[in-house]
Amino acid sequence: MSDFEEFEDENADDKIKADIESSDKMVRADAIARLAQKTHESGNTSRAIVYLESCADLRTEIEDFTGLTYARIQLGWMHTYEKHYELALKEFTMAVDCARQSFNANAEIDAMHLCGITQRSMKNYSAAADCFEQSLKLAAETDYRFIGQIKTDYARMLRKIGRDAEAETVLLGATQDLQDNDFEAVVPRTDNELASTLLNEGNATAAYEKAKEAYHLADYNDNAREVDRAQFLMARAKNKLGAHAEALGILEEMRGRKSFMKRAKHKVRTDLEYSQALAGVQRFAEASDLLAKIIPVMKVYKFKREVPEALTLQARLYFFADNPLDAEATAAEGLTLANEHGLTALAVELVYLMSACYEVLNRQDARVAQLQTITGNPLNVSHQEYWFAASELALHFATAGDTDADAAQSYIDLIGSGNSPLINDAVRAQSDEAGAILLAAAGQKVKAKNLAAKAMQTYLLASNAGAATRVAQWVKDLG
C-alpha cells in the first residue's frame, strides 16, 4: 500500500496520485482505474481510455486476470460511449477471454452479453443473437440473477432475424425469471417484446392483451419509455384488428404526452400508426398529409419495414382519391423496397394494388401480369390477395372467349378445390360468375343461369351489390 492510508476517500486526487507512485503494481493499477473513471465522469473520455489502456497493461504484466477483465469491460463501455463500436467489441471479446482465465463465470456472462449488445448496436443481429445465446447458456448453468434480461435481449434478436416462434418461447421463460429474481420493474420491457413478437406472428389479439399488461405495470412504476412502447403496440394491434377508432384514441393520448416528443424514431413510427388509424376512420386527407411529412424522415432513418409500409398506405390513399397514376408509382417504389428487405406479405399486397391501378388505367395486359405474379408463386396461398387474384383471373379469362376457357377453368378448379379460410364470399362469387360464363359459352344455359343466381347471392353476402346487378343483367341478356 502507499503511505497515504489515512485518506478515507479512495477517489481523492492526492490519494490517487500517491497510489500511482506506489511500488506495488496492483495498487498502481487500481489507482489508474479510479483516475480513468474520474476522468470519464469529468467529460474527457478520450483521456480516460488512455489511462485504462495503461491500467490494462499493468494488470497483464502482473497476470491479474480478474482486474484485467474489468479493465477490458470499462474500456469497452468507454468506446461504446464514444460510439466506437468495433473497438468496444474488441475489448469485450478480450474481457471474455480474461474472465475465462480467472475462472469468473459471472464476468464471462457479462462480457459475452456486452459483446451481443455491441453487435446489436452495429446492427449485426445474427451475430448479436449468437453472443446472447452463448451468454444465456452459461447463465443457465449458474445461479445468475440477470438471466431474464439476457433472455429478453436474445429474443429481441431472434425476432429481428425472423425466428419469431423461438423468440416467443424464450420470452415466456424470461418473464418468469424476472419475477423469480425480483425484477418486476423490468417485466414491461419483456412483455412489450413478446407483444411485438406476437404481432409478427399475426396474433394481434394476444399481442394487444400482452401490451396492455405491460402498459399497466409500466404506468404503475412510472416507466415512461415502456408506457409509450406498450401503447404503440396496443394501437398497432388495434389497427391490425380493424379497430381503428380505438387505435386512434390510444395514439392521441400518446402524442399529447411530453415525453413522446423526446424520441424522434419512436415518434415517427407512432405517426405512421396514427396515419393508419386516420385512414381506417376515413380521414383520408389528414392521413395523406401526415404521410407526406413522415415518409422523407423515415427514409433518412433508413427504416426497412416502415418505409414500404408507409408507401403502401400512401399508394392506397392515392387510389381511393382516384389518382391511379400516383398510386401505381408509389406502389412500385414500395414494392422495390419490400422485395429488397424480404417483406413478403407487403410485397404481395403491393402487387395486388398495382393490378387494381392498371385496371382503372385500362392496361389489362399489365393487370393480368401482376395478378399472375401473385398466383404463380404457390407460397402466396397464405395471403388473401392470392385468392382474390385467382378469382379475378378466372373472371378475366372467362370473359376473354373460347381461347382462354382452359385458363379460366384452371382458376375455378383451384378455388373449388381449395380449403383455405381465405376463400371468402367475394372470391367464391367471382369464381361462380366465371363458371356461369363458361357454361353459357358451352351452350348450357340452364346450368349457367343457376350458377349465375348463386353468384348473385354470394355477391350480396359480400356486400357487392354492384357486381350482383351486373350478373343479373347478364342473365337477362342471356335470355
Side-chain angles (χ1 to χ4, degrees), residues 218-237:
D219 185 51
Y220 185 79
N221 290 316
D222 295 322
N223 186 340
R225 185 183 184 91
E226 295 304 330
V227 164
D228 272 355
R229 189 179 178 208
Q231 285 191 298
F232 168 79
L233 292 167
M234 289 164 65
R236 186 167 178 80

Side-chain angles (χ1 to χ4, degrees), residues 371-387:
L371 295 174
Q372 289 176 322
T373 297
I374 297 173
T375 59
N377 185 348
L379 297 178
N380 290 337
V381 295
S382 60
H383 301 290
Q384 182 73 71
E385 291 85 0
Y386 177 90
W387 300 103

Side-chain angles (χ1 to χ4, degrees), residues 65-329:
F65 294 115
T66 298
L68 184 57
T69 300
Y70 292 108
R72 295 296 181 197
I73 287 175
Q74 276 187 293
L75 275 166
W77 272 121
M78 291 187 186
H79 283 307
T80 299
Y81 183 83
E82 296 285 287
K83 300 191 185 301
H84 299 153
Y85 296 120
E86 291 184 1
L87 292 174
L89 181 61
K90 180 181 177 181
E91 295 294 342
F92 291 140
T93 302
M94 287 192 287
V96 172
D97 291 335
C98 293
R100 288 170 180 165
Q101 291 183 74
S102 64
F103 302 100
N104 189 331
N106 281 359
E108 183 181 348
I109 295 167
D110 290 339
M112 185 59 73
H113 188 198
L114 289 167
C115 286
I117 291 172
T118 308
Q119 292 280 21
R120 182 180 67 195
S121 297
M122 298 165 68
K123 300 191 185 303
N124 299 329
Y125 298 136
S126 292
D130 290 341
C131 292
F132 291 140
E133 183 178 22
Q134 292 179 58
S135 180
L136 180 58
K137 285 180 179 178
L138 188 57
E141 297 171 359
T142 64
D143 187 18
Y144 189 78
R145 289 189 67 231
F146 302 97
I147 190 171
Q149 287 88 330
I150 297 175
K151 284 184 176 181
T152 301
D153 285 338
Y154 178 43
R156 181 175 177 81
M157 292 304 97
L158 290 175
R159 178 173 64 83
K160 288 279 189 181
I161 60 178
R163 293 161 60 183
D164 296 309
E166 294 172 73
E168 182 181 348
T169 301
V170 172
L171 286 164
L172 290 171
T175 298
Q176 188 62 54
D177 287 324
L178 291 169
Q179 292 172 339
D180 290 345
N181 289 289
D182 299 321
F183 289 120
E184 284 83 0
V186 186
V187 170
R189 176 173 176 258
T190 301
D191 282 350
N192 277 331
E193 190 57 45
L194 180 54
S196 294
T197 303
L198 290 167
L199 278 171
N200 280 3
E201 293 179 302
N203 193 345
T205 300
Y208 175 78
E209 293 301 324
K210 185 55 62 175
K212 187 168 68 172
E213 289 178 23
Y215 167 76
H216 288 303
L217 186 54
D219 185 51
Y220 185 79
N221 290 316
D222 295 322
N223 186 340
R225 185 183 184 91
E226 295 304 330
V227 164
D228 272 355
R229 189 179 178 208
Q231 285 191 298
F232 168 79
L233 292 167
M234 289 164 65
R236 186 167 178 80
K238 286 296 184 181
N239 272 334
K240 294 286 186 185
L241 293 167
H244 302 297
E246 292 179 57
L248 200 63
I250 296 169
L251 292 163
E252 285 175 342
E253 180 183 335
M254 283 183 66
R255 295 170 94 239
R257 191 180 298 125
K258 288 183 179 179
S259 61
F260 167 72
M261 303 297 292
K262 296 179 181 178
R263 297 163 54 208
K265 289 186 177 180
H266 177 63
K267 181 177 183 296
V268 75
R269 286 189 173 101
T270 303
D271 281 344
L272 173 58
E273 215 56 50
Y274 191 60
S275 299
Q276 297 275 14
L278 287 170
V281 296
Q282 299 187 357
R283 290 163 61 178
F284 299 136
E286 294 172 73
S288 186
D289 289 345
L290 184 55
L291 285 170
K293 293 178 182 177
I294 65 174
I295 287 176
V297 177
M298 288 191 291
K299 288 179 178 178
V300 171
Y301 288 140
K302 298 180 180 179
F303 287 165
K304 294 180 179 180
R305 176 184 61 80
E306 289 84 351
V307 172
E309 188 175 315
L311 289 169
T312 302
L313 177 57
Q314 189 182 56
R316 288 208 313 266
L317 291 171
Y318 281 141
F319 186 79
F320 295 151
D322 295 326
N323 186 353
L325 286 172
D326 283 343
E328 187 274 334

Side-chain angles (χ1 to χ4, degrees), residues 8 38 90 97 142 188 247 267 279 285 303 348 396 427 432 449:
E8 293 182 0
K38 283 190 68 174
K90 180 181 177 181
D97 291 335
T142 64
K267 181 177 183 296
F303 287 165
V348 173
H396 168 80
V427 171
D432 287 344
K449 288 182 178 180

